[in-house]
Amino acid sequence: MKVALVTGASRGLGAVIARELGSAGWAVAVNYANDTDGANAVVERIRGTGGTAIPAKFSVIDSEAIKRGLDAIRTALGPVDLIVNNATGPQPQMPLMEQSWLTYVDQLEFFVKAPLELLQAVLPDWRARRSGRVINIGSEVVELGNPNFGNYVSAKGAMLAMSRSWARELAPEGITVNVVSPGWIPVERHASADKAAMQAYIGEVPAGRMGSPEDIAHTVVFLASEQASFITGQKVAVNGGRTLL
Ligand SMILES: NC(=O)c1ccc[n+]([C@@H]2O[C@H](COP(=O)([O-])OP(=O)(O)OC[C@H]3O[C@@H](n4cnc5c(N)ncnc54)[C@H](OP(=O)(O)O)[C@@H]3O)[C@@H](O)[C@H]2O)c1
């Protein structure tokens, strides 16, 4: 059974990505940093449908914790074959003059540093096996350039550019790297989102609806599959046509 690590999978998009990978036959390490009940619920749901999953508690922005976390996954499930870099911390928005370098570093830790250190930890093994998959969860904000959000937008932009470089470097070794780029997908943290803002957003979506976490998860499952082995260095926007190419 192939092993997937989904970072930040105790709720939100990560929880549904983990679930769908479990349904597709992956053994899933459900990573999280704080919400043990949430992660356990995701694990139980996967096990309840006959799948294999374990909770994997470690902070992706802690270099030492990453090593310990991957060791624990290897012991419980075997070596990781797929990393889905999905975890995110708080995403504060503020006018430019209120932003500091630290507000940028905070985002880069999640979207550049964590994916880099996770990949470096597994790469010797992937190289030896000539296989491995990275799927980075990006955002349409890179194309849209949302204002008051330079910290997050630039880190997601860096994640996209980094994925392209990694894809070219690793393609000869049978390893693929792709980005799934969601539009606004309501998850638990959007429960109190302004309804008017959501309607305004839908007005800009050619498909005329909000996306669902399943829309994202199904794209991840496809890119992780054998059928997608010739796809690398790509960004798949899953946003009902809001951004084009
Ligand atoms: N939802 C959207 O509309 C949307 C749109 C575009 C892009 N995205 C991207 O999609 C991804 C998921 O977003 P989401 O909306 O599902 O976020 P979310 O609901 O806030 O979930 C974030 C997850 O990350 C975990 N996490 C936080 N800090 C962590 C750490 N240090 N180490 C490991 N895990 C950590 C959280 O669990 P714990 O609290 O248990 O640690 C939680 O499971 C993000 O990369 C986001 O930028 C989302």
Side-chain angles (χ1 to χ4, degrees):
M1 200 175 229
K2 285 195 161 189
V3 176
L5 165 62
V6 184
T7 71
S10 59
R11 63 171 179 273
L13 300 184
V16 181
I17 292 168
R19 233 168 56 204
E20 293 296 319
L21 284 167
S23 297
W26 291 80
V28 187
V30 176
N31 165 255
Y32 69 105
N34 297 297
D35 182 5
T36 300
D37 288 347
N40 284 340
V42 175
V43 167
E44 286 313 317
R45 180 128 181 216
I46 294 170
R47 290 180 181 164
T49 55
T52 301
I54 58 160
K57 180 176 183 181
F58 62 91
S59 171
V60 294
I61 59 172
D62 177 334
S63 309
E64 289 308 311
I66 281 181
K67 288 181 198 146
R68 287 195 301 274
L70 285 170
D71 283 347
I73 294 168
R74 195 177 307 112
T75 302
L77 299 176
V80 166
D81 299 284
L82 162 68
I83 300 170
V84 182
N85 288 300
N86 168 82
T88 180
Q91 303 170 357
Q93 303 190 26
M94 70 208 87
L96 195 47
M97 287 304 285
E98 289 173 26
Q99 295 171 8
S100 66
W101 172 230
L102 190 58
T103 64
Y104 284 66
V105 171
D106 285 345
Q107 301 303 313
L108 289 164
E109 295 238 21
F110 277 93
F111 303 138
V112 176
K113 185 182 123 192
L116 172 66
E117 293 185 346
L118 284 166
L119 176 61
Q120 286 176 331
V122 299
L123 195 52
D125 175 49
W126 285 8
R127 286 192 151 136
R129 294 196 279 142
R130 297 190 63 77
S131 71
R133 298 282 166 97
V134 177
I135 299 174
N136 291 326
I137 306 301
S139 173
E140 67 177 5
V141 299
V142 175
E143 279 68 41
L144 296 171
N146 297 33
N148 303 306
F149 215 16
N151 49 342
Y152 178 84
V153 174
S154 59
K156 287 293 190 187
M159 184 187 227
L160 175 63
M162 175 183 82
S163 305
R164 290 173 171 156
S165 174
W166 289 0
R168 274 196 196 270
E169 188 168 341
L170 300 175
E173 299 180 273
I175 297 163
T176 70
V177 183
N178 290 291
V179 174
V180 173
S181 191
W184 179 8
I185 311 288
V187 292
E188 295 89 326
R189 71 185 161 94
H190 299 117
S192 58
D194 181 33
K195 296 287 170 258
M198 205 174 273
Q199 279 311 315
Y201 181 89
I202 290 172
E204 293 171 357
V205 178
R209 68 166 174 90
M210 299 301 283
S212 69
E214 286 76 11
D215 289 321
I216 306 304
H218 295 156
T219 311
V220 170
V221 169
F222 170 65
L223 288 171
S225 72
E226 272 313 301
Q227 286 88 338
S229 63
F230 202 50
I231 300 174
T232 196
Q234 302 305 307
K235 179 205 72 188
V236 183
V238 184
N239 62 3
R242 187 156 189 251
T243 58
L244 301 174
L245 298 179

